[in-house]
Amino acid sequence: MSSIIKATNIVKSYSAGKAIETVVLNGISLEIERNNITAITGPSGVGKSTLLHIIGTLDEANSGKIEFFGESETFDFTKLDSSKIASFRNKHIGFIFQFHHLLPEFTALENVMIPALIAGEKKSIAKEKAINLLQKTGVLHRQKHKPQELSGGEQQRIAIARALINSPELVLADEPTGNLDATNSDAFISLITDIQKSEGTTFVIATHSPDIAAIADIVIKMKDGNIESTQKK
Ligand SMILES: Nc1ncnc2c1ncn2[C@@H]1O[C@H](COP(=O)(O)OP(=O)(O)OP(=O)(O)O)[C@@H](O)[C@H]1O
Ligand SMILES: [Mg+2]
């Protein structure tokens, strides 16, 4: 097995007031296998989103270590300063959320292009890549529309294209089908399965969806801020 992420003894707690401390991640250790779809499951409040945010450098653990084994470089998150973390994240990790967070004042095409422009890509190349991805995700005909003019399923397809524009090795998705109907949810699942196979992207998906757990190569089940079981298919 070749890991892309190795998390060791991750502790995350929140304190509300002086006396109350909520431990969300209780010394969790795990490895994410590259070139696979991993589903993270477990009851509401168990820490799935928190774990995903920490793996994605959107949030910081109180203690523990996270290593990212890139194709050409290894990163230890505890040793990256905040400006390096932002550029590392933009380049190496794509994000898909339940609420897609598309920018309302930009068109679908522009929303997909933005991470590439931030990464320093030439506008013409960013546009070419974005058009390619909109084609692949089946929403090229909506490229000039703004998010509010699009259906939930279309918005989520644009969010997938945006997550993939910098060819990230790792894509983290938090409840990506939580806001979709059954048809769009099925379409989402077959789209990411196809992309995983064609691009070799590693996906980690926090989800309540049994359909996503069913297609995942590995299912990590969380309980009380830790791992209850890891099932490999
Ligand atoms: N900023 C915060 N401040 C305080 N507590 C928080 C904060 N963010 C999350 N929590 C707490 O951490 C726990 C885990 O939250 P998390 O969002 O990771 O759960 P989850 O497994 O993703 O749940 P769901 O399935 O409902 O999305 C919850 O009890 C939540 O209340
Ligand atoms: Mg969550």
Side-chain angles (χ1 to χ4, degrees):
M1 143 172 171
S2 161
S3 300
I4 187 162
I5 291 283
K6 182 176 181 190
T8 313
N9 292 327
I10 303 299
V11 173
K12 179 71 181 178
S13 63
Y14 292 103
S15 40
K18 275 188 225 146
I20 316 158
E21 200 188 16
T22 317
V23 179
V24 181
L25 300 177
N26 199 1
I28 195 166
S29 296
L30 72 142
E31 292 191 38
I32 302 292
E33 201 169 323
R34 154 184 296 290
N35 206 349
N36 258 314
I37 297 176
T38 296
I40 299 181
T41 66
S44 187
V46 82
K48 302 182 295 296
S49 297
T50 306
L51 177 64
L52 217 59
H53 288 163
I54 290 173
I55 289 175
T57 71
L58 294 171
D59 198 357
E60 231 181 304
N62 301 70
S63 63
K65 181 169 172 162
I66 299 199
E67 291 155 290
F68 180 100
F69 304 105
E71 258 153 19
S72 51
E73 237 180 307
T74 294
F75 300 88
D76 177 346
F77 291 175
T78 46
K79 292 188 180 139
L80 286 178
D81 65 40
S82 55
S83 70
K84 286 211 182 87
I85 281 187
S87 83
F88 161 82
R89 187 194 303 135
N90 186 50
K91 209 166 145 195
H92 294 274
I93 307 180
F95 293 92
I96 304 168
F97 299 100
Q98 175 175 2
F99 302 101
H100 49 74
H101 300 303
L102 296 171
L103 300 169
E105 65 273 31
F106 292 98
T107 65
L109 180 67
E110 288 162 347
N111 264 284
V112 178
M113 285 170 66
I114 286 167
L117 298 174
I118 291 171
E121 195 68 274
K122 265 172 61 184
K123 200 173 167 189
S124 57
I125 295 184
K127 189 171 175 183
E128 194 184 311
K129 282 189 180 171
I131 285 174
N132 242 320
L133 283 163
L134 288 171
Q135 173 105 55
K136 203 176 274 181
T137 54
V139 278
L140 185 56
H141 60 302
R142 293 282 185 260
Q143 60 167 303
K144 296 207 170 101
H145 290 245
K146 293 197 172 156
Q148 66 273 21
E149 301 160 358
L150 298 163
S151 76
E154 288 168 340
Q155 291 177 14
Q156 196 59 302
R157 283 160 180 270
I158 288 153
I160 297 171
R162 180 185 56 181
L164 296 171
I165 186 112
N166 289 332
S167 307
E169 292 171 60
L170 178 66
V171 173
L172 303 176
D174 194 0
E175 209 61 71
T177 57
N179 219 18
L180 301 178
D181 63 20
T183 309
N184 279 306
S185 176
D186 288 348
F188 173 88
I189 291 170
S190 58
L191 185 58
I192 60 139
T193 312
D194 288 350
I195 288 167
Q196 197 292 310
K197 290 210 173 76
S198 63
E199 312 294 320
T201 313
T202 304
F203 283 88
V204 181
I205 309 176
T207 188
H208 291 283
S209 157
D211 296 336
I212 293 184
I215 60 97
D217 302 296
I218 295 159
V219 178
I220 294 175
K221 198 168 168 191
M222 289 182 67
K223 190 186 176 185
D224 304 330
N226 223 314
I227 293 175
E228 183 179 45
S229 64
T230 302
Q231 189 198 346
K232 195 172 167 177
K233 292 180 191 157

